[in-house]
Amino acid sequence: MTVADGAHTGKDGARTLFDKIWDMHAILTREDGETLLWVDRHFVHEGSHHGFGKLAARGARVARPDLTFGVADHYVPTRRAGGVADPGIRGMVEQLAANSAANGITLFGLDDPRQGIVHVVGPEQGLTLPGLLIVCGDSHTSTHGAFGAFAFGIGASEVSHVLMTQTLWQRRPKRMRIVVEGDTGPWVGAKDIALSIIARIGADGAQGHAIEYAGPAIRALSMEARLTLCNLSIEAGGRCGMIAPDETTFAYLRGRPFAPQGRAFDEAVSAWRGLATDPDASFDREIAIDAAAIAPVVTWGTSPEDALPVTAAVPDPGSARDAAKAAQMRDAIAYMGLTPGQPLTDIRVDRVFIGSCTNSRIEDLRSAASVLRGRRAAVPGLVSPGSSLVKRQAEAEGLDRVFREAGLEWVESGCSMCVGMNGDIVPAGERCASTTNRNFKGRQGPGARTHIMSPAMVAAAAVAGRLTDVRDIVGEAR
Amino acid sequence: MEPFRTLTARACPLPLANVDTDQIIPARFMKRSRAEGYGEVLMHDLRVREDGTPVADFPLNDPVRAGARVLVARRNFGGGSSRESAVYALADYGFRCVVAPSFGDIFSANCVNNGVLPARVSEADGEVLLAWLADGGQDVTVDLEACRIVAGNNAFDFAVDPVWRTKLLNGWDDIDLTLSHTDAIGAFAAADRLARPWATPRGR
Ligand code: SF4
């Protein structure tokens, strides 16, 4: 059944990285263009209970428990010495454990030393590899594309479909390439690149597209930074985001527990080297960004597209391109309690949060700590490492002391204040400088106001008590 | 699933862009089982004030819109989190169709898996429809066979992925179809294991 499924190959069969991975996973394509894809890894978390519920309703079992991995992250409290106090939250964590045990799924549960946020744990454990197709009932599954994997979030019906069959029906998305040229300046990183892209193309700018990030500024990024960038692909509406694997990828993966080892690893690397877009392959859409033009970015509104350089001011709805956009801006400015024309650096914050699958890896913590070292935070804040292993490593490096001495709280790993469902919330009306990915209304708690930015920028906001340019705090030339 | 062919029903305007799934169903309500129902918490924090009183000028609270089954919103409806409970909330409240210029990819797939039609219209047509509703327009007819919406004297074409259209028209569920391909899946898995030995997790 080799029906046209929207595949397009360039000169001499040249293909994009995305198409190569897609083709590798295509079991069959229907007349109507839908393709049944093989799934290499399926991550489940407490929120996957609906998927398991549908499975139970059919009296079915998990088809491939060896390819399914459970992680407790969304609901786990970040202060959990003495167990989980809230019965509702405890129920969610226990339900995941019961579903995992009943189906023979490996679980990184509450008390596992490898526990953490699913999008931190997968890469850390070597479960995420180049060329894999990875799904999870969580939109930020795009994160795993940093390794040159095709990784995307799915809904509960699809979760149950994957649990039952290890496959998924999909229509081949369009391809978009975002090329980032040049070098970023000091204190400008993946978060700033990603938010600049989203501000430019919109929160729905990549809908229906698989994004490939390329160019010298991308090649220069560490694995941690690539994970941050791909994580935010969904905030541009992308189906997935990916970066072709290279020496940085291979070096990160060598020796990871679930990755191939020894000779098998070397053989894998030679296969992975073929995972690159052919020179003549074509994309449905191409975007170019100049890294040198990017300044540290913060969001001012209630969508990740509401992002500006910290040196700018709250925009004026009067300058919007149409009435609908003006209404959207007015609504966001009212919710956020701001005034048009107000310099962003005049915005006072009530608290800060460092964590989430976007920015909670060891490099993120090092970056924030380097700003906070020897300084005091003017406001309270929470630091939640992305995994229990990241936490251990940070403690070995003394980063926990830096945070504590600055006056911030150092807690256990989990989704924490990213999502307002595990006990960590921003109180109504309060303003939080946050390393998370969503400044949606009420995301961090009902009535909470969120400004998203990089870990270094959150650390700077903590010190200043307002949004501020980290370069002014650390005194480095712009 | 109940097939979707033609629906004539009350429509409710929601003249907002970027209504993400966190707003459609706030995270703290997601512990519910499916059987408990999600309708009453649809857009809870937009609909209800902190003190529990309804937000008077929120369209869903307008008595004229009671029983609405078609929701009309601005661009990027259902972006953000993959939570299918956002669709449960819409469906349990009574909505069977959402009309907007664009939708989050995961959200629209979730809609179709629950028999809810995500109908894409141009921004201009969406604005005309919103204006018609603001002027007191009430019932619309959504014809999925013809991909057409009729609202008073206005008629608009809408777009929906053809595969999804077929699924909705027939009320199909993917899983039975997939299970009919069990042999092909098994053959693929066996060949793939040899072709990509590195794809198997090493295990601990
Ligand atoms: S940290 Fe936030 S965005 Fe990431 S998986 Fe958890 S809830 Fe989702």
Side-chain angles (χ1 to χ4, degrees):
Chain A
M1 272 213 257
T2 43
V3 186
D5 67 342
H8 69 168
T9 45
K11 248 195 338 215
D12 307 324
R15 289 183 300 165
T16 66
L17 165 61
F18 174 80
D19 287 292
K20 290 182 185 181
I21 300 178
W22 175 282
D23 294 345
M24 233 179 249
H25 292 85
I27 300 167
L28 55 94
T29 297
R30 286 195 323 234
E31 300 288 334
D32 61 16
E34 287 263 294
T35 299
L36 188 64
L37 296 172
W38 177 253
V39 173
D40 292 312
R41 299 284 185 278
H42 183 196
F43 294 113
V44 293
H45 56 85
E46 305 98 302
S48 308
H49 66 100
H50 288 297
F52 281 103
K54 284 169 192 276
L55 187 78
R58 277 193 165 245
R61 284 182 56 81
V62 175
R64 291 296 300 267
D66 56 326
L67 302 180
T68 312
F69 295 86
V71 183
D73 57 2
H74 281 67
Y75 284 90
V76 300
T78 53
R79 300 165 189 85
R80 52 186 181 246
V84 182
D86 182 301
I89 288 177
R90 191 170 58 236
M92 295 299 287
V93 177
E94 284 172 356
Q95 194 176 16
L96 172 68
N99 282 328
S100 300
N103 287 284
I105 296 169
T106 301
L107 172 68
F108 304 105
L110 196 56
D111 300 319
D112 193 298
R114 303 164 296 179
Q115 175 276 341
I117 306 172
V118 58
H119 311 310
V120 176
V121 172
E124 195 170 71
Q125 290 299 320
L127 284 163
T128 303
L129 300 172
L132 297 189
L133 191 153
I134 301 173
V135 297
C136 172
D138 185 283
S139 58
H140 289 99
T141 307
S142 62
T143 310
H144 306 256
F147 289 80
F150 173 27
F152 55 100
I154 56 178
S157 298
E158 294 169 317
V159 166
S160 77
H161 189 279
V162 178
L163 289 174
M164 272 187 256
T165 66
Q166 202 59 29
T167 65
L168 199 60
W169 291 102
Q170 292 281 297
R171 174 184 282 282
R172 194 187 290 249
K174 295 188 183 130
R175 310 91 176 140
M176 172 187 287
R177 180 160 57 187
I178 301 179
V179 177
V180 188
E181 302 282 0
D183 297 317
T184 50
W187 300 100
V188 173
K191 189 69 162 279
D192 305 293
I193 296 175
L195 290 174
S196 302
I197 292 168
I198 299 163
R200 169 144 154 213
I201 69 175
D204 51 359
Q207 260 164 19
H209 287 77
I211 304 173
E212 179 178 348
Y213 300 97
I218 303 300
R219 286 279 142 245
L221 295 176
S222 67
M223 270 334 287
E224 276 90 346
R226 293 179 190 188
L227 287 158
T228 301
L229 180 64
C230 290
N231 174 276
L232 290 163
S233 303
I234 184 68
E235 306 311 329
R239 194 75 191 99
C240 67
M242 53 172 66
I243 297 170
D246 59 11
E247 296 310 320
T248 304
T249 322
F250 310 144
Y252 178 99
L253 285 171
R254 191 181 291 278
R256 299 268 161 190
F258 288 86
Q261 310 284 323
R263 254 192 68 143
F265 184 78
D266 297 334
E267 283 165 14
V269 168
S270 26
W272 294 337
R273 285 191 200 284
L275 295 173
T277 290
D278 296 327
D280 286 336
S282 64
F283 288 81
D284 299 280
R285 203 168 155 204
E286 296 241 32
I287 286 168
I289 303 257
D290 175 13
I294 299 175
V297 173
V298 298
T299 62
W300 54 267
T302 55
S303 162
E305 70 188 20
D306 300 335
L308 283 171
V310 65
T311 48
V314 176
D316 177 3
S319 65
R321 60 167 193 272
D322 58 45
K325 180 73 188 168
Q328 182 191 335
M329 285 166 72
R330 259 191 297 274
D331 182 59
I333 288 170
Y335 180 85
M336 294 297 290
L338 302 172
T339 315
Q342 173 184 17
L344 293 172
T345 49
D346 278 0
I347 300 173
R348 301 200 152 278
V349 299
D350 300 301
R351 61 182 63 238
V352 302
F353 174 62
I354 298 172
S356 89
C357 58
T358 310
N359 281 124
S360 62
R361 297 176 185 82
I362 191 68
E363 267 188 16
D364 299 315
L365 301 183
R366 285 181 192 141
S367 169
S370 72
V371 176
L372 287 164
R373 192 168 281 118
R375 296 192 172 92
R376 286 286 304 175
V379 293
L382 199 62
V383 186
S384 175
S387 72
S388 300
L389 289 176
V390 169
K391 180 164 188 270
R392 252 203 1 227
Q393 162 110 32
E395 287 170 355
E397 295 180 18
L399 304 183
D400 59 321
R401 258 184 299 121
V402 175
F403 293 123
R404 284 210 187 91
E405 283 167 13
L408 303 181
E409 227 185 319
W410 174 252
V411 297
E412 303 288 334
S413 161
C415 292
S416 187
M417 211 179 267
C418 173
V419 69
M421 66 207 287
N422 48 53
D424 292 342
I425 58 165
V426 175
E430 278 201 14
R431 189 182 297 287
C432 182
S434 180
T435 64
T436 52
N437 40 53
R438 288 184 173 145
N439 50 350
F440 298 166
K441 286 179 187 169
R443 170 76 177 185
Q444 294 190 292
R449 294 163 169 163
T450 305
H451 296 270
I452 52 183
M453 60 200 81
S454 71
M457 284 288 285
V458 167
V463 171
R466 56 185 167 76
L467 304 188
T468 195
D469 192 331
V470 60
R471 298 170 299 189
D472 291 341
I473 296 276
V474 297
E476 268 185 45
R478 294 202 182 163
Chain B
M1 226 154 30
E2 198 193 328
F4 187 120
R5 291 180 181 276
T6 304
L7 171 71
T8 298
R10 187 66 39 98
C12 180
L14 188 66
L16 299 171
N18 291 332
V19 177
D20 53 74
T21 52
D22 273 88
Q23 287 179 73
I24 300 172
I25 173 88
R28 62 187 187 281
F29 299 120
M30 285 163 49
K31 291 197 277 291
R32 301 180 168 223
S33 73
R34 187 71 184 89
E36 284 170 79
Y38 279 79
E40 71 202 42
V41 290
L42 171 68
M43 299 190 206
H44 183 277
D45 295 348
L46 296 175
R47 255 166 78 190
V48 183
R49 278 183 222 291
E50 252 177 277
D51 61 9
T53 57
V55 176
D57 60 355
F58 190 67
L60 281 180
N61 292 333
D62 182 348
V64 172
R65 305 297 165 189
R69 308 203 72 195
V70 178
L71 187 66
V72 183
R74 288 198 167 120
R75 62 171 265 265
N76 198 28
F77 188 86
S81 159
S82 62
R83 58 189 71 171
E84 193 160 310
S85 45
V87 180
Y88 302 159
L90 286 162
D92 292 356
Y93 188 90
F95 287 112
R96 284 221 70 198
C97 173
V98 186
V99 181
S102 63
F103 295 95
D105 284 341
I106 307 174
F107 172 81
S108 31
N110 290 342
C111 276
V112 174
N113 283 326
N114 288 277
V116 174
L117 166 65
R120 258 184 299 123
V121 294
S122 70
E123 296 235 10
D125 287 348
E127 290 304 318
V128 172
L129 193 50
L130 284 171
W132 179 79
L133 289 167
D135 271 354
Q138 294 190 358
D139 289 3
V140 301
T141 296
V142 182
D143 181 346
L144 181 55
E145 310 250 19
C147 287
R148 221 165 154 67
I149 299 174
V150 177
N153 296 324
N154 308 297
F156 312 103
D157 290 335
F158 67 84
V160 59
D161 179 290
V163 176
W164 286 352
R165 178 169 165 272
T166 312
K167 250 176 92 166
L168 286 164
L169 284 171
N170 296 290
W172 281 340
D173 193 344
D174 282 336
I175 188 77
D176 295 313
L177 175 66
T178 309
L179 292 174
S180 75
H181 292 298
T182 300
D183 290 350
I185 296 170
F188 177 93
D192 181 59
R193 206 181 158 89
L194 298 175
R196 297 186 308 140
W198 45 267
T200 304
R202 184 165 154 270
R204 268 243 119 167

